[in-house]
Amino acid sequence: EDQVTQSPEALRLQEGESSSLNCSYTVSGLRGLFWYRQDPGKGPEFLFTLYSAGEEKEKERLKATLTKKESFLHITAPKPEDSATYLCAVRGGAQKLVFGQGTRLTINP
Amino acid sequence: DGGITQSPKYLFRKEGQNVTLSCEQNLNHDAMYWYRQDPGQGLRLIYYSQIVNDFQKGDIAEGYSVSREKKESFPLTVTSAQKNPTAFYLCASTQAGGNTIYFGEGSWLTVV
């Protein structure tokens, strides 16, 4: 059974303090690993898709990386507007998207 | 603007009543999905549909029903059989053969 575990559950950083969020996964035949950002009371907003180990993608202060067992979302010099819950999901051979429980990120000014 | 529209945003239901949540998309996507989100938990798949007039149960389909009469629309009915329906419901869609799922803004359902 495909599984996704995100850590930490919650993370508080000061503005400008870089850090990383972890997404560990087990999947049969990875067809994509996805990162979403979700603001309170809103739907998830798509950020990245990664397909193979070694792949990296960047968008503004965010960079996502992928290995065979985990993915990291690196946040460089974050700002308060980066505060949100970040969701990781995988799609395997069964074609279903399986989500982790998310990491709630708070950036203090 | 292209996108996925869910309505209503907030809905209150009395115990024993059925309610229907609307989901419309103008992205010309073939596949549509319904997820449920509870505090501190990941999204869980309720139902999905890959083509018109066809749909499959997800992981937590009990107490829910759907229809897919039009490509653009995928309404979800929360029946009185759903024991714990208070949650945030998310509709999503993706292109045929596409990999990335896009979400609507969600609907809050509260049972009073």
Side-chain angles (χ1 to χ4, degrees):
Chain A
E1 184 179 329
D2 300 343
Q3 287 190 324
V4 177
T5 303
Q6 292 187 246
S7 61
E9 287 189 15
L11 181 62
R12 284 186 175 271
L13 300 172
Q14 290 299 122
E15 184 173 0
E17 181 184 1
S18 302
S19 189
S20 298
L21 312 182
N22 178 262
C23 171
S24 297
Y25 66 92
T26 56
V27 65
S28 176
L30 180 69
R31 299 197 178 196
L33 183 140
F34 305 84
W35 282 99
Y36 290 86
R37 169 193 169 126
Q38 186 175 27
D39 293 304
K42 298 201 171 183
E45 174 190 346
F46 170 72
L47 293 173
F48 304 109
T49 307
L50 301 168
Y51 291 100
S52 57
E55 189 175 0
E56 299 183 352
K57 287 194 176 172
E58 287 188 66
K59 179 180 180 180
E60 297 181 355
R61 295 175 292 280
L62 300 176
K63 183 167 102 173
T65 62
L66 181 65
T67 73
K68 288 186 178 180
K69 294 184 178 180
E70 56 192 0
S71 176
F72 291 94
L73 185 65
H74 306 278
I75 302 177
T76 303
K79 299 181 178 182
E81 54 262 41
D82 295 321
S83 297
T85 295
Y86 290 85
L87 301 173
C88 173
V90 295
R91 187 195 294 277
Q95 289 294 315
K96 287 191 336 182
L97 204 59
V98 176
F99 282 84
Q101 76 278 24
T103 293
R104 191 172 62 253
L105 177 66
T106 304
I107 309 298
N108 296 316
Chain B
D1 280 352
I4 302 169
T5 302
Q6 291 187 238
S7 62
K9 179 68 176 178
Y10 300 96
L11 185 60
F12 296 88
R13 187 195 90 174
K14 292 183 180 179
E15 284 194 19
Q17 286 182 338
N18 294 352
V19 292
T20 297
L21 306 180
S22 169
C23 178
E24 304 276 334
Q25 54 95 2
N26 61 4
L27 300 168
N28 199 33
H29 285 175
D30 290 279
M32 297 186 73
Y33 308 81
W34 275 105
Y35 287 87
R36 169 179 172 143
Q37 188 174 35
D38 294 284
Q41 294 193 35
L43 278 65
R44 293 183 289 167
L45 182 64
I46 305 172
Y47 267 98
Y48 64 102
S49 167
Q50 294 180 310
I51 57 172
V52 174
N53 293 322
D54 188 43
F55 48 83
Q56 288 77 41
K57 293 182 180 180
D59 299 317
I60 56 166
E62 185 176 350
Y64 299 97
S65 66
V66 293
S67 63
R68 186 88 187 275
E69 297 177 2
K70 298 187 299 181
K71 185 176 182 178
E72 304 78 28
S73 178
F74 191 40
L76 174 74
T77 296
V78 184
T79 75
S80 57
Q82 168 50 232
K83 295 190 188 322
N84 187 20
T86 295
F88 189 48
Y89 290 88
L90 287 159
C91 179
S93 70
T94 188
Q95 293 175 307
N99 215 8
T100 301
I101 290 181
Y102 297 92
F103 287 86
E105 286 297 288
S107 292
W108 289 94
L109 173 62
T110 302
V111 174
V112 297

